[in-house]
Amino acid sequence: MEEFSVIKANHFKILTVLTIAASLSLGAYIYTAKEVSISVDDDTREVISYDNTVEELLKAEGITLNKGTYINVPLDIKLEDNMNIIIKTPKPYTLTIGDTQTKVESVHVKVNDILKDLDIKLEEKDYTYPELNDEVAIGGEIKVIKVKEVVEETKEVIPHENIVNNSNKLDIGVVKVVQEGKDGLKNVKIKKVFENDKLVSENVIEEETIEKPIPKIVEKGTKNRLASSRGSTRYKKAITMTATAYDLSYESCGKRPGDKYYGITASGTKARVGAVAVDPKVIPLGTKLYVESLDGTKDYGFCTAEDTGGAIKNNRIDLFFNTAQEVKNFGRRKVKVYILE
């Protein structure tokens, strides 16, 4: 009976030891469990894991990391309690620079982060659409506008000014050049802006005059009154012409008394003092005139354009006189012919 009590006591001791060992083992097992947060593209879940490393956890959770996937911790790192594992998978986008479109992938959704991920650097003037701080929808397009500014220098002509001054000392219709004009020259700086190599604007940012223009100055005659023996007479134009003289002699008109049209003008009037021959393209027949002498001799005076002559062309006028001696005395001289109103 005493022997049985000893055996029973030993069994109790063994059971106690085993119970304690089991309790210690279970406590150690429970102690190795970790609470871990896994975020995949902002989809977050909380898990309790007894795995040793991150890689083992992901495998247990059925999470596969494809090429280009971002994870914030190394795969071989040991799991820790309250660890946050962040995973971002690549997303497709279309990148457009100028006329070139490229299909790209990035784990980011904000334009600025996507461009950094693709190692695309922007210069100071460059911009994007959407803007850098905006998010892009998956599969969306990012337009990069590369801006280039170029300053070009060129020389440009400065047109001279035309100045017209009225002068009552000059006959109406007469224009006198007082000063010849000359164009100037300037150096011009132009800023041209290109977006993706296409010109979008150009502006003059600086001008420097190299040579100033010289204005052309002319005087325009306004004098339209002629002082004569009849008083003041208005005229609408004055022309300096070469004057000759003719009479009814055969030497002057090529006709003899008795010839058809002898002594008759081209207008059908009788040849006489005061009837003059002109070029009708310059002075129409029938025009009232006044012929002024320019050499100090007596003016021929008032007359009418009634005749023509084979040698009377352009700015020439033939004045009728009664005698051959008067024709000879007159000869050839410059006169001013006033076309009367």
Side-chain angles (χ1 to χ4, degrees):
M1 189 66 179
E2 186 177 346
E3 183 180 350
F4 174 76
S5 297
V6 171
I7 293 172
K8 188 176 180 180
N10 289 336
H11 282 180
F12 179 76
K13 290 179 180 180
I14 293 172
L15 288 174
T16 301
V17 170
L18 291 175
T19 300
I20 293 172
S23 298
L24 291 174
S25 177
L26 179 61
Y29 182 75
I30 293 174
Y31 184 74
T32 59
K34 295 105 179 168
E35 290 187 6
V36 180
S37 171
I38 303 175
S39 176
V40 180
D41 291 333
D42 298 327
D43 181 14
T44 304
R45 50 180 151 164
E46 305 290 339
V47 299
I48 296 176
S49 175
Y50 300 98
D51 294 304
N52 188 40
T53 64
V54 171
E55 186 174 16
E56 292 173 0
L57 170 62
L58 297 183
K59 186 176 181 181
E61 293 294 322
I63 298 174
T64 302
L65 301 183
N66 296 320
K67 182 180 179 181
T69 300
Y70 166 83
I71 184 169
N72 67 326
V73 292
L75 291 175
D76 58 356
I77 194 172
K78 290 185 178 296
L79 283 180
E80 295 179 1
D81 195 33
N82 296 320
M83 176 179 280
N84 291 320
I85 299 175
I86 300 173
I87 298 171
K88 294 183 179 181
T89 60
K91 302 161 189 67
Y93 301 103
T94 297
L95 178 66
T96 302
I97 303 178
D99 296 327
T100 303
Q101 280 193 339
T102 308
K103 298 296 183 182
V104 297
E105 288 187 342
S106 174
V107 298
H108 302 289
V109 294
K110 191 177 289 187
V111 173
N112 192 38
D113 296 331
I114 294 171
L115 294 182
K116 286 182 179 178
D117 192 25
L118 298 174
D119 197 28
I120 294 176
K121 298 179 180 178
L122 300 182
E123 300 297 331
E124 180 182 358
K125 301 289 184 179
D126 298 344
Y127 65 96
T128 63
Y129 183 82
E131 295 183 6
L132 290 175
N133 290 322
D134 291 344
E135 292 186 357
V136 188
I138 296 175
E141 181 183 20
I142 301 171
K143 291 184 178 180
V144 176
I145 292 86
K146 306 290 285 184
V147 180
K148 180 173 66 175
E149 293 184 352
V150 177
V151 176
E152 295 182 356
E153 291 191 28
T154 183
K155 288 181 173 53
E156 291 184 5
V157 171
I158 306 175
H160 67 270
E161 184 182 3
N162 290 318
I163 300 174
V164 179
N165 297 323
N166 291 329
S167 172
N168 59 8
K169 295 181 180 180
L170 296 176
D171 295 315
I172 188 169
V174 174
V175 176
K176 179 183 178 182
V177 177
V178 177
Q179 176 177 280
E180 289 291 350
K182 183 181 179 182
D183 290 338
L185 191 65
K186 62 182 177 181
N187 189 63
V188 181
K189 289 185 179 180
I190 302 174
K191 182 173 73 174
K192 295 184 176 182
V193 179
F194 296 85
E195 291 187 354
N196 293 332
D197 295 327
K198 292 182 180 179
L199 179 65
V200 295
S201 69
E202 54 181 310
N203 298 291
V204 175
I205 57 175
E206 184 180 327
E207 290 187 0
E208 180 185 6
T209 300
I210 300 173
E211 186 176 345
K212 291 183 178 180
I214 299 174
K216 180 179 181 179
I217 302 175
V218 299
E219 290 185 347
K220 183 178 180 181
T222 59
K223 182 182 176 183
N224 64 349
R225 286 191 175 275
L226 169 69
S228 67
S229 57
R230 298 182 187 179
S232 178
T233 304
R234 291 175 65 89
Y235 61 93
K236 56 185 178 181
K237 190 176 182 181
I239 308 172
T240 299
M241 307 183 80
T242 298
T244 52
Y246 76 106
D247 62 358
L248 290 179
S249 66
Y250 181 79
E251 291 76 16
S252 287
C253 63
K255 295 182 181 66
R256 300 180 188 277
D259 289 346
K260 189 178 181 180
Y261 303 122
Y262 174 78
I264 303 300
T265 67
S267 299
T269 60
K270 182 179 179 180
R272 67 200 182 282
V273 174
V276 297
V278 296
D279 183 348
K281 293 180 180 178
V282 178
I283 299 176
L285 293 178
T287 302
K288 300 297 183 180
L289 308 171
Y290 185 92
V291 178
E292 178 185 47
S293 177
L294 295 179
D295 59 3
T297 58
K298 184 180 177 181
D299 295 344
Y300 187 77
F302 291 96
C303 54
T304 304
E306 297 182 10
D307 209 354
T308 60
I312 308 304
K313 301 295 180 184
N314 301 320
N315 281 11
R316 285 195 59 184
I317 188 170
D318 211 11
L319 311 178
F320 185 87
F321 287 93
N322 286 322
T323 66
Q325 187 60 47
E326 289 176 296
V327 170
K328 182 179 180 181
N329 291 342
F330 186 85
R332 179 188 297 265
R333 63 185 71 177
K334 290 289 184 181
V335 297
K336 182 180 284 188
V337 178
Y338 296 90
I339 298 175
L340 306 181
E341 290 186 352

